[in-house]
Amino acid sequence: MQKTMKKMLDFIGIKSIEELFEDIPKEIRRGLNLPEPKEEMEVEEEIKKILEKNKSFFEVLSFLPIIKPHYIPPAVEEIVSREEFYTSYTPYQPEASQGLLQALFEYQSVVCELTGMDAANISMYDAATALGEACLMAERIKGRKKVIIPSNIFWHKKSVLKNYVKGAGIEIIEKKYNEEGLVEIDGGQADAIYIENPNFFGIIDDRYKEILEMKEKNDALLIVGVDPLYLAIFNPPSFYGADIVIGNGYLGNHMNFGGPMLGIFACRKEFVRQMPGKIIGANDEEKLCFSMTLQTREQHIRRGKATSNICSNEALLCISFLAYVSILGRDGLRKIAIKNMENAQYMAKKLEKIGFKLPFKRKFFNEFVSICPMNAKIFNSKLLEKGIESGLIIDEYVRNGILFGVTEMHSKNLIDECIEKMKEVIENDGKI
């Protein structure tokens, strides 16, 4: 053993294993706190015990926003489990697989149709990384080192954005929201102005004319964060002047304990050479074929010259997204979107009847904020004891406010049952 070790060290030209780690500061070399080795059967038993803690949506009903339950037709899983598609990686070689390349090309086409943009890539990691990439892209185009965002966006998205633009020296300016829950649209000199529609509070921003005028007045790029299901029944961002569109591409993908997700990324044609990520192109010759295009913007050139250092994508999740949308079709997608909105409105009205108050009077899609009539943390804790995961507490934005997420999976009967349990909590444990 020692001889083998010495032979290996000699081969790579070092005297000890310690030399391999000399670039890592000693104070952070803490080692791994691993348990003692176990037999395979023992490991399986331990994993089973851990997995028993997991609960499905039907075991613990959930009204959390963002990662919400949606019904996914079994045909989607049948398609994505085919061995031709079964990879989480993007095909790096242009000729690797025409079938996979065509599927990803069709995914891009669906995203373009939903967003109204001219071009889309085959995804970023999630909406947060897509936002970071969009702001870097805007800076490359405008060069002003400033981006404007709403103060009311998810904190994890804001954190990722700050880390993304720090190295590029881009300043982030936050705009407040008004009493209607909508961000102020007075703009300012910046590379880009970011808005979300629906926004963090679930509110639909239909100030199309004002948004377009603000963008033109400030000569900034308009980045819009979207929910792809929402786009099945409302105007695409291109309608009010968007230059870049991002979002979480959850369609066709299970909740997966919060991830992975895919980040939608689309833009206008004139900016396509600054767009990060991979693009699949099709030729226009008699024999149709597909290939990766504009690859030299990424890992094939120097890091400092690349448009992005995300050199992969969420290929399998893109296929799920495409399969889901293709199976439902336009009408099916619209029906699901309408059902989401109807169920959310039904839930909001029911909550009002047991003492909740809606702080914002604007139209919302499938998420909304409601102020709890008792301490929200105690309410959520007591409700969880009854087998229901309430919404997300957002004290940072609305005191004692809870952000609820509702989908087609939350039937009226299910909502009625949950409301009864919520009512019990308020009546029996409502002392703050």
Side-chain angles (χ1 to χ4, degrees):
M1 184 69 181
Q2 289 298 324
K3 286 184 179 177
T4 306
M5 180 79 75
K6 187 175 184 313
K7 194 175 178 182
M8 292 169 68
L9 293 175
D10 289 342
F11 184 80
I12 59 177
I14 59 174
K15 294 179 180 176
S16 69
I17 291 179
E18 185 69 16
E19 281 188 51
L20 288 173
F21 305 102
E22 64 183 10
D23 291 334
I24 302 174
K26 286 185 178 178
E27 57 270 25
I28 64 171
R29 291 190 223 167
R30 296 170 186 166
L32 297 174
N33 185 24
L34 296 175
E36 292 298 316
K38 291 184 178 181
E39 298 290 337
E40 187 174 325
M41 188 176 72
E42 292 176 314
V43 173
E44 282 191 13
E45 286 175 0
E46 190 168 334
I47 290 174
K48 279 179 185 174
K49 285 181 183 175
I50 295 172
L51 291 176
E52 284 172 2
K53 296 177 184 176
N54 295 332
K55 302 295 178 188
S56 73
F57 169 71
F58 291 104
E59 292 170 302
V60 177
L61 299 173
S62 170
F63 290 94
L64 288 170
I66 306 296
I67 309 295
K68 301 186 287 292
H70 287 277
Y71 179 74
I72 299 174
V76 173
E77 291 191 26
E78 180 66 23
I79 291 170
V80 298
S81 61
R82 288 183 63 87
E83 61 183 24
E84 297 93 328
F85 295 134
Y86 210 61
T87 173
S88 58
Y89 263 100
T90 183
Y92 284 101
Q93 295 76 30
E95 72 287 359
S97 165
Q98 284 297 299
L100 181 55
L101 291 174
Q102 180 172 3
L104 294 173
F105 179 84
E106 301 299 349
Y107 160 81
Q108 293 174 170
S109 303
V110 169
V111 170
C112 286
E113 191 168 343
L114 282 170
T115 60
M117 293 288 100
D118 302 314
N121 69 19
I122 54 173
S123 78
M124 312 276 35
Y125 293 145
D126 53 22
T129 53
L131 175 59
E133 293 287 349
C135 290
L136 291 177
M137 175 176 162
E139 195 279 328
R140 289 195 296 274
I141 295 169
K142 292 294 184 180
R144 295 172 184 160
K145 301 284 185 187
K146 283 183 184 177
V147 293
I148 296 172
I149 67 169
S151 60
N152 57 327
I153 66 172
F154 265 100
W155 36 90
H156 75 279
K157 196 182 287 182
K158 199 180 289 186
S159 174
V160 171
L161 175 62
K162 284 180 179 176
N163 284 317
Y164 242 92
V165 302
K166 186 178 179 182
I170 298 173
E171 180 187 1
I172 298 172
I173 301 168
E174 295 189 21
K175 289 287 181 184
K176 295 178 181 176
Y177 54 90
N178 60 27
E179 60 184 14
E180 292 186 309
L182 296 171
V183 65
E184 297 171 350
I185 54 171
D186 55 351
Q189 286 297 306
D191 298 309
I193 300 165
Y194 174 62
I195 63 169
E196 295 184 334
N197 204 4
N199 71 9
F200 173 75
F201 300 137
I203 298 170
I204 296 168
D205 196 336
D206 56 2
R207 299 171 297 173
Y208 302 135
K209 185 180 175 185
E210 292 94 323
I211 293 171
L212 190 56
E213 287 176 351
M214 170 199 64
K215 178 206 159 187
E216 291 175 351
K217 176 184 171 186
N218 296 289
D219 186 33
L221 297 191
L222 179 63
I223 305 171
V224 182
V226 297
D227 178 330
L229 186 59
Y230 163 87
L231 297 178
I233 53 175
F234 286 96
N235 286 320
S238 59
F239 182 76
Y240 43 95
D243 297 293
I244 304 171
V245 179
I246 65 156
N248 258 334
Y250 61 84
L251 297 181
N253 289 293
H254 292 284
M255 296 165 75
N256 297 331
F257 300 96
M261 279 284 156
L262 71 88
I264 290 173
F265 199 107
C267 72
R268 294 189 182 278
K269 187 178 179 180
E270 55 263 42
F271 305 128
V272 71
R273 286 191 173 274
Q274 289 297 334
M275 182 165 68
K278 300 185 182 304
I279 304 167
I280 307 300
N283 71 350
D284 55 359
E285 296 173 0
E286 188 175 336
K287 187 177 180 180
L288 184 63
C289 63
F290 303 89
S291 66
M292 294 183 66
T293 58
L294 303 178
Q295 287 193 81
T296 51
R297 305 162 311 129
E298 289 188 336
Q299 67 267 41
H300 302 292
I301 62 174
R302 282 185 298 170
R303 183 176 178 177
K305 297 286 185 181
T307 54
S308 168
N309 290 305
I310 292 182
C311 294
S312 187
N313 78 311
E314 304 280 14
L316 192 61
L317 304 184
C318 289
I319 305 297
S320 298
F321 183 104
L322 174 65
Y324 178 86
V325 173
S326 302
I327 290 167
L328 288 180
R330 286 190 178 89
D331 290 342
L333 210 56
R334 285 193 193 103
K335 285 179 184 175
I336 297 292
I338 290 169
K339 179 58 80 177
N340 271 244
M341 200 166 173
E342 287 176 347
N343 287 351
Q345 290 171 348
Y346 182 79
M347 174 83 180
K349 286 177 183 174
K350 285 285 184 177
L351 284 172
E352 282 187 306
K353 286 183 180 177
I354 61 171
F356 280 77
K357 290 182 180 176
L358 300 185
F360 309 118
K361 305 304 178 188
R362 303 282 298 201
K363 191 161 56 176
F364 54 85
F365 181 47
N366 62 2
E367 294 179 359
F368 61 92
V369 180
S370 199
I371 298 175
C372 187
M374 60 180 280
N375 182 292
K377 289 181 181 175
I378 296 175
F379 173 78
N380 278 9
S381 175
K382 294 290 182 183
L383 195 61
L384 191 59
E385 292 174 7
K386 292 178 178 292
I388 300 172
E389 180 88 60
S390 182
L392 181 68
I393 297 172
I394 52 167
D395 263 336
E396 297 91 331
Y397 300 112
V398 179
R399 191 167 181 270
N400 219 35
I402 299 177
L403 180 62
F404 288 92
V406 181
T407 72
E408 75 279 5
M409 297 282 280
H410 299 89
S411 66
K412 288 183 178 177
N413 287 339
L414 191 152
I415 290 173
D416 288 343
E417 289 174 16
C418 292
I419 289 292
E420 280 303 311
K421 291 185 179 178
M422 291 177 179
K423 188 179 175 184
E424 287 173 16
V425 170
I426 293 169
E427 289 177 348
N428 299 330
D429 303 287
K431 296 175 184 176
I432 299 177

